[in-house]
Amino acid sequence: MIYELSPNIINLNATGTERILQNGRNILAVMIGEVVLGRGIGINGDIVDLPINKSMSMLDIETQFQKYEPRLKVNNITYKVDGENGFLNPIVEVSIIE
């Protein structure tokens, strides 16, 4: 089954598939250095204020998932770009590796 990672509310009681998907969303929601005892988890903060095409090339989502949530396999990444406001939102489709 393919899932799309999108922001939602954190469920501290999540288990199974919900917890795995939530872990992936959390990786996408933090910058490297923000997580105590997990300083390597997250997105490279150097992408802030860069041109969007350069930022896209610096997002290393697959490597982050391989290292910190290896149960998620990235199937596809597309980007929703709001050039007017400078927002880059990755839309990540994943499968769960059992």
Side-chain angles (χ1 to χ4, degrees), residues 69-86:
E69 186 46 270
R71 296 172 291 183
L72 287 176
K73 176 186 177 282
V74 175
N75 295 319
N76 189 38
I77 301 173
T78 55
Y79 297 93
K80 184 178 177 185
V81 177
D82 179 350
E84 184 176 311
N85 294 308

Side-chain angles (χ1 to χ4, degrees), residues 9 11 23 28 32 34 38 40 49 52 56 60 72 81 87 94:
I9 298 170
N11 177 2
N23 290 344
L28 296 174
I32 292 174
E34 288 184 329
D49 293 332
I52 288 177
M56 279 193 269
D60 202 4
L72 287 176
V81 177
F87 294 122
V94 296

